Every structure is written in C-alpha cells, then in structure tokens.
C-alpha cells in the first residue's frame, strides 16, 4: 500500500453509499464463472467482451445485452434463473468481502457517519448476500432494483439512498466498481470514487473527474486523518 502522504485526500462528506457486488462483496469473479458455465449449458458461447459489458448492469440491461449478442432466441429467463440458483448454492457457506470493506464500514459507524447500499441486484439477492457476508445490519438502508423505477446508470438508486439517509447528495461519498455505477453516482452529484474490480475505468469514465483508488483500504486512508 502507498504511504498515506501519497494518497489523494477526499473532500468532507456526511454519508457514504456503497455499491454491492464488486465493491463491498467479492462476488463478481464468482458470478463470471457461473455466467460462462450456464451459457455453455444452454448452447451459447459467452465471451469476455459480452461478460464485461454486463458487469454492474441491471436485470433489464443484461437481458438487452444478451439478446443483442445472441439473438432473440436466447432464453434469458432460464439463464437468469439458473445463475441465481447456482450463485445461491455457492454462497451458502458465506460470501467473501472485498479487502478493507469491513474495516471501512466499521470506522464509519464509529464516527456516526450513516451508510447505505445502492445496488442493481434485486431485493432477495442483495439481502441474502449481505446477510451471508455478515454486513446486512451495518447499513441504515439498502436500495435495490426493486426500490427504483430507473436502475443504474440512472442516478435514481443513489438519489433514493441519499433521501432515505436524509443527506444532500452533494454531501455523499459514493463508492463503485463499474462504469454504470460511476455514471449513476456522478449524475446524482456525489463525490464518486471508483475502486475497480473486473472493469477498469475507460477514458470516458476518467473524464468525469472521479477518483480511482486501488482498494477500500485506500479509500479509508483518503477519508480520515490517522
């Protein structure tokens, strides 16, 4: 890890809103394996390019991408169901947490800074995985795909989380790992940090002026004087 003096300092904030998969939870690599397996079983060849375009997207966006890639014959409902069943089976023993996630959330609670999750996942998936990771009770509110009309990259998930927390979006810090999530948080007017997981920031994402950090440990060091 870089010395603290070499790490970007964040502007003050009054609340923190986390993305879930790939930001709080180390689930994207597991889900990648499942996506490739299920596509093969259904007679389709998943590619890295198609998979990467899916990361961070909503149920509807993923459906659209797969239809564009494989045609209208792609059985999305069956694909989605099989992926969810296998993911639940493989997370039965617990869900891995991203490095620094538990420490950052714990410090925020100790400092009485409210926190929320804004995810493109549906409610059952989000609550199951956060519960399996032992994080569910650490957040004031969880905003899922079921709570909004417009999913990421629309800002509604982040604006909803800020409203529930009672904090102006301009005073919120948003932590994301995907392009869609970064666009959503940035459009909501939040101080946005990308902590890349499978997807690295494109030139378009960097042009938004967001900070990019290696891990949530780096975010914690950038947020608080030690």
């Amino acid at each position: 890890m870089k010395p603290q003096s070499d790490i970007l300092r964040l502007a003050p904030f009054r609340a923190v809103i986390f993305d879930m998969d790939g930001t709080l939870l180390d689930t994207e690599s597991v889900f990648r394996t499942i996506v490739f397996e299920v596509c093969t079983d259904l007679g389709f060849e998943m590619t890295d390019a198609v998979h990467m375009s899916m990361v961070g997207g909503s149920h509807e966006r993923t459906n659209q991408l797969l239809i564009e890639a494989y045609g209208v014959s792609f059985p999305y409902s069956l694909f989605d169901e099989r992926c969810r069943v296998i993911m639940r089976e493989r997370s039965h023993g617990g869900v891995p947490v991203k490095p620094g996630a538990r420490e950052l959330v714990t410090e925020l609670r100790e400092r009485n800074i409210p926190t929320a999750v804004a995810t493109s996942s549906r409610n059952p998936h989000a609550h199951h995985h956060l519960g399996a990771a032992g994080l569910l009770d650490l957040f004031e509110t969880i905003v899922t795909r079921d709570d909004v009309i417009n999913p990421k990259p629309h800002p509604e998930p982040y604006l909803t989380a800020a409203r529930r927390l009672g904090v102006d979006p301009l005073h919120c810090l948003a932590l994301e790992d995907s392009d869609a999530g970064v666009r959503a948080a940035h459009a909501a007017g939040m101080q946005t940090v990308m902590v890349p997981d499978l997807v690295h920031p494109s030139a378009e994402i960097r042009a938004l002026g967001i900070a990019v950090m290696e891990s949530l440990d780096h975010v914690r060091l950038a947020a608080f004087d030690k």
Side-chain angles (χ1 to χ4, degrees):
M1 184 180 294
K2 296 177 182 178
Q4 185 178 357
S5 59
D6 293 341
I7 296 176
L8 174 70
R9 307 304 300 177
L10 293 175
F13 51 85
R14 297 179 187 170
V16 181
I17 304 174
F18 294 80
D19 171 56
M20 187 179 74
D21 291 302
T23 301
L24 277 171
L25 305 181
D26 196 6
T27 47
E28 291 289 13
S29 59
V30 177
F31 193 67
R32 178 188 185 280
T33 300
I34 294 171
V35 164
F36 274 75
E37 290 175 0
V38 172
C39 273
T40 298
D41 290 344
L42 294 176
F44 295 86
E45 183 181 0
M46 176 56 61
T47 66
D48 287 332
V50 172
H51 168 257
M52 293 295 273
S53 70
M54 293 164 52
V55 174
S58 65
H59 172 85
E60 296 88 347
R61 178 58 178 158
T62 299
N63 188 3
Q64 178 186 354
L65 288 167
L66 291 172
I67 294 299
E68 290 174 355
Y70 302 111
V72 295
S73 64
F74 186 85
Y76 179 75
S77 295
L78 181 58
F79 164 82
D80 183 59
E81 179 184 1
R82 288 191 181 180
C83 286
R84 290 177 187 278
V85 168
I86 295 171
M87 189 68 179
R88 183 171 287 267
E89 290 172 350
R90 295 187 184 178
S91 63
H92 182 70
V95 172
V97 176
K98 293 290 287 187
R102 202 177 303 277
E103 292 81 1
L104 176 55
V105 175
T106 298
E107 179 152 358
L108 290 167
R109 286 177 66 82
E110 291 173 349
R111 292 174 179 265
N112 295 314
I113 297 173
T115 58
V117 172
T119 176
S120 295
S121 294
R122 295 195 177 275
N123 188 291
H125 172 94
H127 281 75
H128 173 269
H129 279 65
L130 288 169
L135 297 177
L136 182 60
D137 295 334
L138 300 182
F139 298 95
E140 276 74 15
T141 189
I142 313 293
V143 177
T144 73
R145 176 63 188 91
D146 299 314
D147 298 310
V148 298
I149 297 172
N150 303 293
K152 302 173 188 179
H154 194 280
E156 185 181 354
Y158 277 99
L159 294 174
T160 300
R163 185 177 68 252
R164 288 184 181 180
L165 293 177
V167 179
D168 189 311
L170 295 176
H171 298 144
C172 292
L173 171 67
L175 303 175
E176 270 286 351
D177 74 298
S178 71
D179 287 2
V182 166
R183 291 190 184 98
H186 184 267
M190 297 183 179
Q191 179 177 195
T192 305
V193 175
M194 184 178 191
V195 183
D197 183 37
L198 299 183
V199 177
H200 292 278
S202 62
E204 178 187 358
I205 291 299
R206 288 187 180 276
L208 295 177
I210 60 143
V212 179
M213 298 190 184
E214 294 177 29
S215 72
L216 294 179
D217 281 320
H218 287 80
V219 174
R220 185 163 54 90
L221 290 175
F224 304 120
D225 291 324
K226 296 298 181 184

